[in-house]
Amino acid sequence: MAKIVFGMNLSLDGYVDHQHLPPPDAALFRHWTEHVRDLTGSIYGRRMYEDMRYWDDDHPDWTREQRDFAAAWRRQPKWVVSRSLKSVGPNATLVADDVEVAIRGLKARLTGEISASGPELAQSLTDMGLIDEYRLYLHPVALGRGKPFFAGPRPPLRLVASERIGGEVIRLTYVPA
């Protein structure tokens, strides 16, 4: 059975805003690349998927690390939860109806770790009891705005790990209590 993990970068005041968080240092970028390489796949909400489509096309100014991340991202299977999209890109499957049935099916038939990305999608999956682990990558900034990491109520959580990644980021790992 696969484990579904919701993990994202966020500010100390709880916001997910990739436009205003500091760029990852080399260690954090390597961490995310290795994380993506090891995934069984990823589940995206529409907005997060559209943002991540950036990695579908090569850019001439990319560093080797960026090319490595893009290659890992392109290889993994993706499931995109959206009622408004009519199609999705390479190596992606659109999930428009019966989201709970589809995600429970993935969980039951696959092994390894499936990443859930996007606060609103994660809230829906939380409401369905499908998130097995929450990983908060705290950056030492306060934004005062953006999307909250938790888009709504969440179950009681229990801290199971903390780790410094790179020079400034702390990852806190929680499971439902």
Side-chain angles (χ1 to χ4, degrees):
M1 176 175 272
K3 174 167 78 169
I4 297 181
V5 175
F6 172 50
M8 293 186 76
N9 294 305
L10 71 153
S11 63
L12 288 176
D13 53 349
Y15 292 105
V16 175
D17 186 338
H18 292 61
Q19 301 299 320
H20 294 94
L21 284 172
D25 64 15
L28 181 59
F29 200 85
R30 275 192 310 275
H31 168 83
W32 282 112
T33 301
E34 291 165 13
H35 170 73
V36 168
R37 274 190 195 124
D38 293 340
L39 290 172
T40 297
S42 289
I43 306 165
Y44 291 99
R46 180 191 54 82
R47 283 190 278 305
M48 184 59 64
Y49 176 69
E50 287 174 340
D51 287 347
M52 293 300 291
R53 293 288 313 265
Y54 169 81
W55 299 103
D56 273 340
D57 299 313
D58 288 326
H59 298 265
D61 59 333
W62 275 357
T63 64
R64 176 187 167 122
E65 290 79 14
Q66 289 170 310
R67 286 191 300 275
D68 289 347
F69 180 87
W73 188 80
R74 291 171 190 164
R75 269 193 305 270
Q76 73 169 227
K78 297 162 213 49
W79 298 274
V80 182
V81 176
S82 173
R83 287 185 175 83
S84 61
L85 291 176
K86 301 300 176 214
S87 65
V88 290
N91 212 12
T93 302
L94 183 61
V95 179
D97 297 309
D98 298 323
V99 172
E100 184 171 1
V101 170
I103 304 306
R104 283 191 190 282
L106 291 174
K107 230 180 137 159
R109 109 173 153 264
L110 300 174
T111 59
E113 200 169 278
I114 299 172
S115 174
S117 295
E120 291 172 9
L121 171 67
Q123 184 61 49
S124 294
L125 297 178
T126 294
D127 292 345
M128 296 172 199
L130 291 171
I131 302 285
D132 298 297
E133 194 170 284
Y134 299 84
R135 295 182 188 155
L136 289 75
Y137 290 80
L138 290 172
H139 290 254
V141 296
L143 297 179
R145 62 183 162 79
K147 282 236 182 248
F149 181 87
F150 291 106
R154 55 153 179 78
L157 300 176
R158 180 174 50 87
L159 180 67
V160 294
S162 62
E163 174 186 6
R164 185 177 181 157
I165 300 175
E168 301 292 327
V169 173
I170 300 292
R171 179 178 68 187
L172 301 173
T173 303
Y174 292 90
V175 296

